[in-house]
Amino acid sequence: MSNVNVAIVGATGAVGTKILEKLLARKFPINSIKLLASKRSAGKEIVANDQRFIVEETQPEAFEGVDIAFFSAGGHISEMFAEEAVKRGAVVIDNTSAFRMVEAIPLVVPEVNLDALRQHKGIIANPNCSTIQMVAALQPIREKFGLKRLVVSTYQAVSGAGAEAIAELEAQTKKFETRADIKAELLPSADGEKHYPIAFNAIPQIDAFDDSGYTLEELKMMNETKKIFGLPELQISATCVRLPIVTGHSESVYIELDQEGVSVDDLRGVLSHAPGIVLQDDFMAQSYPMPLFAEGKDEIFVGRLRKDPDHPTGFHLWIVADNLLKGAALNSVQIAESLITIRTS
């Protein structure tokens, strides 16, 4: 496939800017790049890799001549414009939750289910950021030993909620001098819901609750993991927590394998050779993954491997990744790279 014409919808957002940076840094075969955003952002200049781009308003006709369109501007924008892009010949790689659980639309992490790309009909869904790093880290284990149950608790950075959340954390960190100050703060919300301060806090709610008591973020992880692995019978539960960290999601994951007699060294062996995985697992040297040091890195970091003391096939892992990169922008770009490889093979 020759060089392609690319569009990025939501180009001024946290993920959109990272998609542009990754396309240029990885020397994606580009003929042209079109940056699209809201009418309010039209005309804005963006500089990346010493190149200057002018943002255009997202309109159906903007997708004329586009080969690959990355969407990262919210589910409602994807629902409005993704089909318009497909009608005009583009393949859409959508970074929102709009199409993830649509049966006919592939939900792809290239290290896990690359073959699913061959079934796309114009739209490909990029999974939730927390799901991506977890399934990519667990895939080599699942392939070798099988997987029947997992329980995950996430510790998610505010950048997962966008640029406004980062600004809120920074403002609160500067504003509050004591814990008493922040305990008295309950920020107003336009829809009447409580909006707790994030600075010096941990909020065990990401997205809205449903009737089951799980949040939509937790349900995304549970349902997306089953779809990506092709394991509808997989036993999985999630708890998602927001922490006052700017970038980098962390996850404590408990797994139960199908195969018995597996050791921690066996898990280390498969993880040490897995693509995109960096094993940091030397507790004696205090070597383990941390979000501060994962920021800006493409890899997924895995450590704190332990055998469960009570279950014969149970293990615990700690998984960390930059949620804006492998959790979003990088995975989207890798999907596009894989598309080109498939088309030219």
Side-chain angles (χ1 to χ4, degrees):
M1 184 177 179
S2 59
N3 287 2
V4 297
N5 299 319
V6 171
I8 303 174
V9 181
T12 59
V15 174
T17 56
K18 293 294 184 183
I19 290 174
L20 176 60
E21 290 174 11
K22 281 298 166 188
L23 287 171
L24 299 175
R26 292 169 71 90
K27 302 188 186 305
F28 190 80
I30 295 167
N31 181 54
S32 67
I33 300 180
K34 185 178 291 189
L35 302 189
L36 303 175
S38 66
K39 185 176 182 179
R40 183 180 64 255
S41 296
K44 181 179 179 180
E45 183 180 80
I46 291 179
V47 179
N49 200 27
D50 296 325
Q51 298 183 51
R52 297 180 181 275
F53 303 89
I54 301 299
V55 177
E56 303 176 34
E57 182 181 358
T58 307
Q59 295 287 356
E61 55 270 21
F63 298 100
E64 294 290 347
V66 170
D67 299 306
I68 296 177
F70 297 91
F71 275 67
S72 188
H76 66 291
I77 297 297
S78 295
E79 290 167 354
M80 287 176 60
F81 292 106
E83 292 289 355
E84 295 290 344
V86 173
K87 285 179 188 176
R88 290 163 173 81
V91 176
V92 168
I93 300 172
D94 184 59
N95 201 59
T96 77
S97 61
F99 306 110
R100 288 174 184 159
M101 295 312 299
V102 177
E103 186 175 353
I105 293 178
L107 182 66
V108 177
V109 178
E111 297 91 337
V112 181
N113 61 336
L114 185 60
D115 285 346
L117 283 180
R118 301 180 186 276
Q119 280 74 55
H120 85 81
K121 297 178 175 61
I123 299 176
I124 300 159
N126 198 53
N128 177 276
C129 48
S130 298
T131 304
I132 290 172
Q133 68 184 68
M134 182 177 70
V135 298
L138 294 182
Q139 172 64 6
I141 296 172
R142 184 181 77 90
E143 282 186 319
K144 184 74 172 178
F145 307 113
L147 187 64
K148 62 183 178 183
R149 185 183 182 213
L150 67 92
V151 179
V152 54
S153 296
T154 71
Y155 308 86
Q156 297 182 215
V158 296
S159 55
E164 289 185 3
I166 297 174
E168 181 179 312
L169 172 60
E170 291 174 343
Q172 289 178 4
T173 303
K174 293 175 182 177
K175 175 181 177 182
F176 298 116
E177 296 182 0
T178 70
R179 284 174 293 174
D181 291 337
I182 201 163
K183 286 179 180 177
E185 187 84 359
L186 187 62
L187 304 180
S189 176
D191 57 10
E193 293 184 354
K194 294 178 180 177
H195 187 73
Y196 294 105
I198 184 61
F200 312 107
N201 201 12
I203 302 174
Q205 177 187 357
I206 299 177
D207 214 325
F209 287 99
D210 89 334
D211 292 340
S212 68
Y214 284 90
T215 66
L216 299 185
E217 181 82 358
E218 292 158 354
L219 293 171
K220 287 175 194 174
M221 288 198 74
M222 294 155 65
N223 295 326
E224 291 175 21
T225 299
K226 292 180 180 182
K227 181 175 179 179
I228 295 166
F229 279 156
L231 294 174
E233 75 284 359
L234 179 67
Q235 300 172 37
I236 177 172
S237 179
T239 301
C240 295
V241 182
R242 187 77 73 193
L243 292 187
I245 297 168
V246 174
T247 302
H249 288 355
S250 303
E251 299 171 346
S252 173
V253 183
Y254 168 74
I255 60 174
E256 291 176 9
L257 308 178
D258 287 329
Q259 187 173 323
E260 295 187 0
V262 179
S263 69
V264 170
D265 282 340
D266 292 330
L267 298 190
R268 290 192 184 112
V270 296
L271 288 168
S272 63
H273 297 98
I277 303 298
V278 174
L279 187 63
Q280 292 182 330
D281 189 47
D282 185 350
F283 64 88
M284 293 297 291
Q286 292 180 273
S287 176
Y288 34 69
M290 290 178 279
L292 181 65
F293 302 106
E295 184 175 358
K297 305 288 181 59
D298 289 346
E299 296 85 2
I300 297 164
F301 299 86
V302 183
R304 295 297 319 278
L305 271 65
R306 289 152 289 151
K307 179 81 172 62
D308 188 81
D310 298 311
H311 196 285
T313 66
F315 293 85
H316 299 265
L317 306 87
W318 178 251
I319 303 170
V320 177
D322 186 319
N323 54 294
L324 299 180
L325 294 181
K326 184 53 183 172
L330 175 61
N331 199 72
S332 295
V333 172
Q334 288 175 315
I335 289 172
E337 292 170 342
S338 301
L339 275 176
I340 291 174
T341 300
I342 290 171
R343 290 183 180 184
T344 55
S345 60

mmCIF file of all heavy atoms in Angstrom, residues 66-110:
data_model
loop_
_atom_site.group_PDB
_atom_site.id
_atom_site.type_symbol
_atom_site.label_atom_id
_atom_site.label_comp_id
_atom_site.label_asym_id
_atom_site.label_seq_id
_atom_site.Cartn_x
_atom_site.Cartn_y
_atom_site.Cartn_z
ATOM 1 N N VAL A 66 -9.702 10.643 2.410
ATOM 2 C CA VAL A 66 -8.992 10.129 3.582
ATOM 3 C C VAL A 66 -8.985 8.598 3.546
ATOM 4 O O VAL A 66 -10.012 7.963 3.294
ATOM 5 C CB VAL A 66 -9.651 10.632 4.882
ATOM 6 C CG1 VAL A 66 -9.068 9.916 6.098
ATOM 7 C CG2 VAL A 66 -9.467 12.133 5.012
ATOM 8 N N ASP A 67 -7.819 8.001 3.808
ATOM 9 C CA ASP A 67 -7.691 6.543 3.830
ATOM 10 C C ASP A 67 -7.894 5.967 5.230
ATOM 11 O O ASP A 67 -8.559 4.950 5.392
ATOM 12 C CB ASP A 67 -6.303 6.136 3.316
ATOM 13 C CG ASP A 67 -6.052 6.575 1.891
ATOM 14 O OD1 ASP A 67 -6.868 6.243 1.015
ATOM 15 O OD2 ASP A 67 -5.044 7.274 1.651
ATOM 16 N N ILE A 68 -7.289 6.605 6.229
ATOM 17 C CA ILE A 68 -7.409 6.146 7.607
ATOM 18 C C ILE A 68 -7.771 7.342 8.477
ATOM 19 O O ILE A 68 -7.096 8.378 8.434
ATOM 20 C CB ILE A 68 -6.110 5.507 8.119
ATOM 21 C CG1 ILE A 68 -5.786 4.238 7.318
ATOM 22 C CG2 ILE A 68 -6.230 5.158 9.604
ATOM 23 C CD1 ILE A 68 -4.480 3.574 7.719
ATOM 24 N N ALA A 69 -8.833 7.192 9.273
ATOM 25 C CA ALA A 69 -9.284 8.272 10.163
ATOM 26 C C ALA A 69 -9.237 7.789 11.600
ATOM 27 O O ALA A 69 -9.886 6.799 11.954
ATOM 28 C CB ALA A 69 -10.695 8.719 9.803
ATOM 29 N N PHE A 70 -8.447 8.469 12.414
ATOM 30 C CA PHE A 70 -8.386 8.183 13.845
ATOM 31 C C PHE A 70 -9.405 9.073 14.559
ATOM 32 O O PHE A 70 -9.393 10.294 14.378
ATOM 33 C CB PHE A 70 -6.991 8.491 14.405
ATOM 34 C CG PHE A 70 -5.889 7.657 13.815
ATOM 35 C CD1 PHE A 70 -5.199 8.079 12.693
ATOM 36 C CD2 PHE A 70 -5.535 6.455 14.397
ATOM 37 C CE1 PHE A 70 -4.167 7.328 12.164
ATOM 38 C CE2 PHE A 70 -4.509 5.681 13.873
ATOM 39 C CZ PHE A 70 -3.822 6.120 12.749
ATOM 40 N N PHE A 71 -10.265 8.461 15.370
ATOM 41 C CA PHE A 71 -11.278 9.212 16.109
ATOM 42 C C PHE A 71 -10.947 9.189 17.596
ATOM 43 O O PHE A 71 -10.775 8.120 18.184
ATOM 44 C CB PHE A 71 -12.661 8.615 15.891
ATOM 45 C CG PHE A 71 -13.362 9.093 14.649
ATOM 46 C CD1 PHE A 71 -12.889 8.756 13.386
ATOM 47 C CD2 PHE A 71 -14.499 9.892 14.732
ATOM 48 C CE1 PHE A 71 -13.525 9.194 12.244
ATOM 49 C CE2 PHE A 71 -15.149 10.336 13.592
ATOM 50 C CZ PHE A 71 -14.661 9.984 12.335
ATOM 51 N N SER A 72 -10.882 10.377 18.204
ATOM 52 C CA SER A 72 -10.640 10.458 19.641
ATOM 53 C C SER A 72 -11.242 11.744 20.192
ATOM 54 O O SER A 72 -10.565 12.540 20.845
ATOM 55 C CB SER A 72 -9.133 10.417 19.926
ATOM 56 O OG SER A 72 -8.907 10.317 21.308
ATOM 57 N N ALA A 73 -12.528 11.933 19.927
ATOM 58 C CA ALA A 73 -13.192 13.181 20.327
ATOM 59 C C ALA A 73 -14.465 12.939 21.113
ATOM 60 O O ALA A 73 -15.313 13.816 21.210
ATOM 61 C CB ALA A 73 -13.496 14.023 19.087
ATOM 62 N N GLY A 74 -14.616 11.730 21.664
ATOM 63 C CA GLY A 74 -15.821 11.417 22.409
ATOM 64 C C GLY A 74 -16.771 10.563 21.594
ATOM 65 O O GLY A 74 -16.844 10.676 20.358
ATOM 66 N N GLY A 75 -17.519 9.710 22.294
ATOM 67 C CA GLY A 75 -18.398 8.770 21.616
ATOM 68 C C GLY A 75 -19.445 9.404 20.731
ATOM 69 O O GLY A 75 -19.762 8.885 19.656
ATOM 70 N N HIS A 76 -19.993 10.548 21.150
ATOM 71 C CA HIS A 76 -21.048 11.169 20.346
ATOM 72 C C HIS A 76 -20.510 11.669 19.013
ATOM 73 O O HIS A 76 -21.210 11.616 17.992
ATOM 74 C CB HIS A 76 -21.704 12.314 21.127
ATOM 75 C CG HIS A 76 -20.811 13.473 21.401
ATOM 76 N ND1 HIS A 76 -19.734 13.403 22.267
ATOM 77 C CD2 HIS A 76 -20.826 14.756 20.917
ATOM 78 C CE1 HIS A 76 -19.123 14.585 22.308
ATOM 79 N NE2 HIS A 76 -19.750 15.401 21.504
ATOM 80 N N ILE A 77 -19.259 12.128 18.976
ATOM 81 C CA ILE A 77 -18.652 12.565 17.721
ATOM 82 C C ILE A 77 -18.415 11.365 16.816
ATOM 83 O O ILE A 77 -18.664 11.419 15.597
ATOM 84 C CB ILE A 77 -17.333 13.317 17.984
ATOM 85 C CG1 ILE A 77 -17.599 14.600 18.781
ATOM 86 C CG2 ILE A 77 -16.625 13.641 16.672
ATOM 87 C CD1 ILE A 77 -18.457 15.618 18.070
ATOM 88 N N SER A 78 -17.947 10.265 17.396
ATOM 89 C CA SER A 78 -17.752 9.052 16.606
ATOM 90 C C SER A 78 -19.076 8.564 16.017
ATOM 91 O O SER A 78 -19.133 8.153 14.858
ATOM 92 C CB SER A 78 -17.125 7.953 17.472
ATOM 93 O OG SER A 78 -15.826 8.319 17.882
ATOM 94 N N GLU A 79 -20.130 8.603 16.813
ATOM 95 C CA GLU A 79 -21.433 8.172 16.330
ATOM 96 C C GLU A 79 -21.943 9.072 15.212
ATOM 97 O O GLU A 79 -22.636 8.621 14.290
ATOM 98 C CB GLU A 79 -22.426 8.132 17.487
ATOM 99 C CG GLU A 79 -22.137 7.003 18.477
ATOM 100 C CD GLU A 79 -22.901 7.141 19.778
ATOM 101 O OE1 GLU A 79 -23.585 8.185 19.957
ATOM 102 O OE2 GLU A 79 -22.814 6.231 20.619
ATOM 103 N N MET A 80 -21.599 10.351 15.251
ATOM 104 C CA MET A 80 -22.041 11.296 14.221
ATOM 105 C C MET A 80 -21.254 11.161 12.922
ATOM 106 O O MET A 80 -21.821 11.256 11.831
ATOM 107 C CB MET A 80 -21.892 12.736 14.737
ATOM 108 C CG MET A 80 -22.909 13.160 15.772
ATOM 109 S SD MET A 80 -22.559 14.830 16.403
ATOM 110 C CE MET A 80 -22.672 15.807 14.889
ATOM 111 N N PHE A 81 -19.930 10.912 13.027
ATOM 112 C CA PHE A 81 -19.084 11.076 11.849
ATOM 113 C C PHE A 81 -18.362 9.812 11.378
ATOM 114 O O PHE A 81 -17.845 9.802 10.249
ATOM 115 C CB PHE A 81 -18.037 12.168 12.117
ATOM 116 C CG PHE A 81 -18.607 13.550 12.249
ATOM 117 C CD1 PHE A 81 -18.689 14.153 13.484
ATOM 118 C CD2 PHE A 81 -19.066 14.233 11.133
ATOM 119 C CE1 PHE A 81 -19.215 15.435 13.619
ATOM 120 C CE2 PHE A 81 -19.591 15.509 11.251
ATOM 121 C CZ PHE A 81 -19.672 16.120 12.500
ATOM 122 N N ALA A 82 -18.312 8.757 12.170
ATOM 123 C CA ALA A 82 -17.554 7.573 11.748
ATOM 124 C C ALA A 82 -18.119 6.961 10.469
ATOM 125 O O ALA A 82 -17.374 6.654 9.532
ATOM 126 C CB ALA A 82 -17.523 6.534 12.870
ATOM 127 N N GLU A 83 -19.415 6.787 10.417
ATOM 128 C CA GLU A 83 -20.031 6.215 9.212
ATOM 129 C C GLU A 83 -19.861 7.140 8.010
ATOM 130 O O GLU A 83 -19.726 6.670 6.867
ATOM 131 C CB GLU A 83 -21.514 5.928 9.461
ATOM 132 C CG GLU A 83 -21.775 4.807 10.453
ATOM 133 C CD GLU A 83 -21.423 3.434 9.910
ATOM 134 O OE1 GLU A 83 -21.065 3.326 8.713
ATOM 135 O OE2 GLU A 83 -21.496 2.464 10.682
ATOM 136 N N GLU A 84 -19.874 8.451 8.249
ATOM 137 C CA GLU A 84 -19.639 9.403 7.156
ATOM 138 C C GLU A 84 -18.242 9.206 6.576
ATOM 139 O O GLU A 84 -18.037 9.292 5.359
ATOM 140 C CB GLU A 84 -19.808 10.837 7.657
ATOM 141 C CG GLU A 84 -21.204 11.200 8.116
ATOM 142 C CD GLU A 84 -22.190 11.285 6.946
ATOM 143 O OE1 GLU A 84 -21.747 11.356 5.790
ATOM 144 O OE2 GLU A 84 -23.405 11.260 7.215
ATOM 145 N N ALA A 85 -17.272 8.959 7.449
ATOM 146 C CA ALA A 85 -15.913 8.719 6.971
ATOM 147 C C ALA A 85 -15.832 7.419 6.182
ATOM 148 O O ALA A 85 -15.181 7.358 5.127
ATOM 149 C CB ALA A 85 -14.956 8.686 8.160
ATOM 150 N N VAL A 86 -16.494 6.377 6.686
ATOM 151 C CA VAL A 86 -16.475 5.085 6.009
ATOM 152 C C VAL A 86 -17.132 5.194 4.627
ATOM 153 O O VAL A 86 -16.638 4.627 3.641
ATOM 154 C CB VAL A 86 -17.167 4.009 6.870
ATOM 155 C CG1 VAL A 86 -17.313 2.700 6.093
ATOM 156 C CG2 VAL A 86 -16.386 3.773 8.154
ATOM 157 N N LYS A 87 -18.236 5.920 4.533
ATOM 158 C CA LYS A 87 -18.926 6.120 3.252
ATOM 159 C C LYS A 87 -17.997 6.714 2.202
ATOM 160 O O LYS A 87 -18.129 6.454 1.005
ATOM 161 C CB LYS A 87 -20.124 7.061 3.434
ATOM 162 C CG LYS A 87 -21.322 6.458 4.100
ATOM 163 C CD LYS A 87 -22.416 7.508 4.225
ATOM 164 C CE LYS A 87 -23.576 7.014 5.053
ATOM 165 N NZ LYS A 87 -24.603 8.085 5.246
ATOM 166 N N ARG A 88 -17.050 7.526 2.666
ATOM 167 C CA ARG A 88 -16.132 8.209 1.744
ATOM 168 C C ARG A 88 -14.844 7.442 1.537
ATOM 169 O O ARG A 88 -13.889 7.968 0.972
ATOM 170 C CB ARG A 88 -15.872 9.625 2.268
ATOM 171 C CG ARG A 88 -17.100 10.514 2.128
ATOM 172 C CD ARG A 88 -17.012 11.773 2.990
ATOM 173 N NE ARG A 88 -18.125 12.682 2.706
ATOM 174 C CZ ARG A 88 -19.342 12.544 3.204
ATOM 175 N NH1 ARG A 88 -19.611 11.527 4.021
ATOM 176 N NH2 ARG A 88 -20.303 13.391 2.900
ATOM 177 N N GLY A 89 -14.819 6.180 2.002
ATOM 178 C CA GLY A 89 -13.691 5.311 1.709
ATOM 179 C C GLY A 89 -12.638 5.177 2.789
ATOM 180 O O GLY A 89 -11.630 4.490 2.590
ATOM 181 N N ALA A 90 -12.843 5.799 3.938
ATOM 182 C CA ALA A 90 -11.852 5.734 5.013
ATOM 183 C C ALA A 90 -12.077 4.516 5.893
ATOM 184 O O ALA A 90 -13.210 4.042 6.054
ATOM 185 C CB ALA A 90 -11.901 7.003 5.864
ATOM 186 N N VAL A 91 -11.000 4.005 6.463
ATOM 187 C CA VAL A 91 -11.079 3.041 7.558
ATOM 188 C C VAL A 91 -10.976 3.833 8.853
ATOM 189 O O VAL A 91 -10.038 4.625 9.027
ATOM 190 C CB VAL A 91 -9.957 1.998 7.491
ATOM 191 C CG1 VAL A 91 -10.011 1.079 8.712
ATOM 192 C CG2 VAL A 91 -10.046 1.190 6.209
ATOM 193 N N VAL A 92 -11.931 3.649 9.740
ATOM 194 C CA VAL A 92 -11.978 4.385 10.995
ATOM 195 C C VAL A 92 -11.373 3.542 12.110
ATOM 196 O O VAL A 92 -11.745 2.376 12.295
ATOM 197 C CB VAL A 92 -13.428 4.775 11.350
ATOM 198 C CG1 VAL A 92 -13.519 5.284 12.784
ATOM 199 C CG2 VAL A 92 -13.946 5.826 10.373
ATOM 200 N N ILE A 93 -10.431 4.136 12.853
ATOM 201 C CA ILE A 93 -9.896 3.533 14.072
ATOM 202 C C ILE A 93 -10.392 4.402 15.213
ATOM 203 O O ILE A 93 -9.947 5.533 15.396
ATOM 204 C CB ILE A 93 -8.359 3.464 14.038
ATOM 205 C CG1 ILE A 93 -7.898 2.622 12.836
ATOM 206 C CG2 ILE A 93 -7.826 2.886 15.344
ATOM 207 C CD1 ILE A 93 -6.408 2.638 12.603
ATOM 208 N N ASP A 94 -11.355 3.872 15.954
ATOM 209 C CA ASP A 94 -12.083 4.675 16.935
ATOM 210 C C ASP A 94 -11.579 4.420 18.346
ATOM 211 O O ASP A 94 -11.532 3.278 18.807
ATOM 212 C CB ASP A 94 -13.580 4.368 16.856
ATOM 213 C CG ASP A 94 -14.378 5.261 17.784
ATOM 214 O OD1 ASP A 94 -14.299 6.489 17.629
ATOM 215 O OD2 ASP A 94 -15.053 4.731 18.681
ATOM 216 N N ASN A 95 -11.214 5.494 19.023
ATOM 217 C CA ASN A 95 -10.648 5.396 20.365
ATOM 218 C C ASN A 95 -11.682 5.643 21.465
ATOM 219 O O ASN A 95 -11.319 5.810 22.624
ATOM 220 C CB ASN A 95 -9.492 6.397 20.505
ATOM 221 C CG ASN A 95 -8.543 6.031 21.618
ATOM 222 O OD1 ASN A 95 -7.943 4.963 21.628
ATOM 223 N ND2 ASN A 95 -8.407 6.922 22.590
ATOM 224 N N THR A 96 -12.950 5.679 21.125
ATOM 225 C CA THR A 96 -14.003 5.896 22.110
ATOM 226 C C THR A 96 -14.721 4.581 22.402
ATOM 227 O O THR A 96 -14.420 3.542 21.817
ATOM 228 C CB THR A 96 -15.023 6.927 21.608
ATOM 229 O OG1 THR A 96 -15.910 6.309 20.646
ATOM 230 C CG2 THR A 96 -14.332 8.125 20.965
ATOM 231 N N SER A 97 -15.704 4.647 23.281
ATOM 232 C CA SER A 97 -16.470 3.443 23.624
ATOM 233 C C SER A 97 -17.667 3.213 22.708
ATOM 234 O O SER A 97 -18.435 2.272 22.911
ATOM 235 C CB SER A 97 -16.961 3.543 25.070
ATOM 236 O OG SER A 97 -17.812 4.668 25.230
ATOM 237 N N ALA A 98 -17.806 4.041 21.668
ATOM 238 C CA ALA A 98 -19.022 4.009 20.839
ATOM 239 C C ALA A 98 -19.278 2.663 20.181
ATOM 240 O O ALA A 98 -20.428 2.224 20.071
ATOM 241 C CB ALA A 98 -18.940 5.109 19.779
ATOM 242 N N PHE A 99 -18.228 1.977 19.732
ATOM 243 C CA PHE A 99 -18.417 0.758 18.935
ATOM 244 C C PHE A 99 -17.759 -0.476 19.538
ATOM 245 O O PHE A 99 -17.775 -1.542 18.918
ATOM 246 C CB PHE A 99 -17.837 0.975 17.519
ATOM 247 C CG PHE A 99 -18.383 2.186 16.817
ATOM 248 C CD1 PHE A 99 -17.568 3.301 16.609
ATOM 249 C CD2 PHE A 99 -19.686 2.227 16.367
ATOM 250 C CE1 PHE A 99 -18.057 4.421 15.958
ATOM 251 C CE2 PHE A 99 -20.188 3.345 15.719
ATOM 252 C CZ PHE A 99 -19.375 4.448 15.515
ATOM 253 N N ARG A 100 -17.197 -0.369 20.710
ATOM 254 C CA ARG A 100 -16.383 -1.467 21.248
ATOM 255 C C ARG A 100 -17.138 -2.777 21.406
ATOM 256 O O ARG A 100 -16.597 -3.849 21.168
ATOM 257 C CB ARG A 100 -15.770 -1.058 22.591
ATOM 258 C CG ARG A 100 -14.670 -0.028 22.466
ATOM 259 C CD ARG A 100 -14.207 0.438 23.828
ATOM 260 N NE ARG A 100 -13.217 1.505 23.730
ATOM 261 C CZ ARG A 100 -12.933 2.351 24.705
ATOM 262 N NH1 ARG A 100 -13.563 2.241 25.874
ATOM 263 N NH2 ARG A 100 -12.024 3.282 24.536
ATOM 264 N N MET A 101 -18.392 -2.684 21.827
ATOM 265 C CA MET A 101 -19.139 -3.908 22.089
ATOM 266 C C MET A 101 -20.130 -4.243 20.976
ATOM 267 O O MET A 101 -20.970 -5.124 21.142
ATOM 268 C CB MET A 101 -19.852 -3.803 23.438
ATOM 269 C CG MET A 101 -18.903 -3.707 24.634
ATOM 270 S SD MET A 101 -17.573 -4.947 24.627
ATOM 271 C CE MET A 101 -18.514 -6.466 24.694
ATOM 272 N N VAL A 102 -20.005 -3.588 19.835
ATOM 273 C CA VAL A 102 -20.796 -3.970 18.666
ATOM 274 C C VAL A 102 -20.193 -5.248 18.101
ATOM 275 O O VAL A 102 -18.993 -5.301 17.782
ATOM 276 C CB VAL A 102 -20.792 -2.855 17.603
ATOM 277 C CG1 VAL A 102 -21.557 -3.303 16.365
ATOM 278 C CG2 VAL A 102 -21.396 -1.572 18.167
ATOM 279 N N GLU A 103 -20.990 -6.282 17.987
ATOM 280 C CA GLU A 103 -20.473 -7.614 17.666
ATOM 281 C C GLU A 103 -19.690 -7.645 16.358
ATOM 282 O O GLU A 103 -18.648 -8.300 16.261
ATOM 283 C CB GLU A 103 -21.635 -8.621 17.606
ATOM 284 C CG GLU A 103 -21.183 -10.044 17.413
ATOM 285 C CD GLU A 103 -22.331 -11.029 17.480
ATOM 286 O OE1 GLU A 103 -23.459 -10.612 17.808
ATOM 287 O OE2 GLU A 103 -22.099 -12.224 17.212
ATOM 288 N N ALA A 104 -20.157 -6.928 15.345
ATOM 289 C CA ALA A 104 -19.528 -6.998 14.030
ATOM 290 C C ALA A 104 -18.282 -6.126 13.904
ATOM 291 O O ALA A 104 -17.600 -6.171 12.874
ATOM 292 C CB ALA A 104 -20.539 -6.597 12.954
ATOM 293 N N ILE A 105 -17.970 -5.352 14.930
ATOM 294 C CA ILE A 105 -16.820 -4.438 14.872
ATOM 295 C C ILE A 105 -15.682 -5.013 15.697
ATOM 296 O O ILE A 105 -15.843 -5.263 16.893
ATOM 297 C CB ILE A 105 -17.213 -3.036 15.361
ATOM 298 C CG1 ILE A 105 -18.213 -2.410 14.376
ATOM 299 C CG2 ILE A 105 -15.985 -2.136 15.523
ATOM 300 C CD1 ILE A 105 -18.712 -1.045 14.772
ATOM 301 N N PRO A 106 -14.513 -5.244 15.077
ATOM 302 C CA PRO A 106 -13.394 -5.820 15.830
ATOM 303 C C PRO A 106 -12.854 -4.855 16.878
ATOM 304 O O PRO A 106 -12.748 -3.650 16.653
ATOM 305 C CB PRO A 106 -12.346 -6.105 14.745
ATOM 306 C CG PRO A 106 -12.719 -5.253 13.590
ATOM 307 C CD PRO A 106 -14.201 -5.057 13.656
ATOM 308 N N LEU A 107 -12.518 -5.399 18.031
ATOM 309 C CA LEU A 107 -11.931 -4.672 19.157
ATOM 310 C C LEU A 107 -10.515 -5.223 19.293
ATOM 311 O O LEU A 107 -10.333 -6.380 19.672
ATOM 312 C CB LEU A 107 -12.755 -4.926 20.416
ATOM 313 C CG LEU A 107 -12.350 -4.225 21.704
ATOM 314 C CD1 LEU A 107 -12.544 -2.719 21.587
ATOM 315 C CD2 LEU A 107 -13.169 -4.762 22.876
ATOM 316 N N VAL A 108 -9.505 -4.393 18.995
ATOM 317 C CA VAL A 108 -8.194 -4.951 18.673
ATOM 318 C C VAL A 108 -7.072 -4.422 19.554
ATOM 319 O O VAL A 108 -6.929 -3.213 19.755
ATOM 320 C CB VAL A 108 -7.857 -4.675 17.183
ATOM 321 C CG1 VAL A 108 -6.458 -5.190 16.846
ATOM 322 C CG2 VAL A 108 -8.891 -5.320 16.274
ATOM 323 N N VAL A 109 -6.274 -5.343 20.048
ATOM 324 C CA VAL A 109 -4.946 -5.080 20.597
ATOM 325 C C VAL A 109 -4.009 -5.937 19.747
ATOM 326 O O VAL A 109 -4.074 -7.174 19.815
ATOM 327 C CB VAL A 109 -4.844 -5.456 22.086
ATOM 328 C CG1 VAL A 109 -3.418 -5.217 22.603
ATOM 329 C CG2 VAL A 109 -5.847 -4.672 22.905
ATOM 330 N N PRO A 110 -3.151 -5.333 18.910
ATOM 331 C CA PRO A 110 -2.399 -6.126 17.928
ATOM 332 C C PRO A 110 -1.619 -7.298 18.505
ATOM 333 O O PRO A 110 -1.512 -8.341 17.852
ATOM 334 C CB PRO A 110 -1.464 -5.085 17.301
ATOM 335 C CG PRO A 110 -2.242 -3.812 17.371
ATOM 336 C CD PRO A 110 -2.961 -3.881 18.695
#
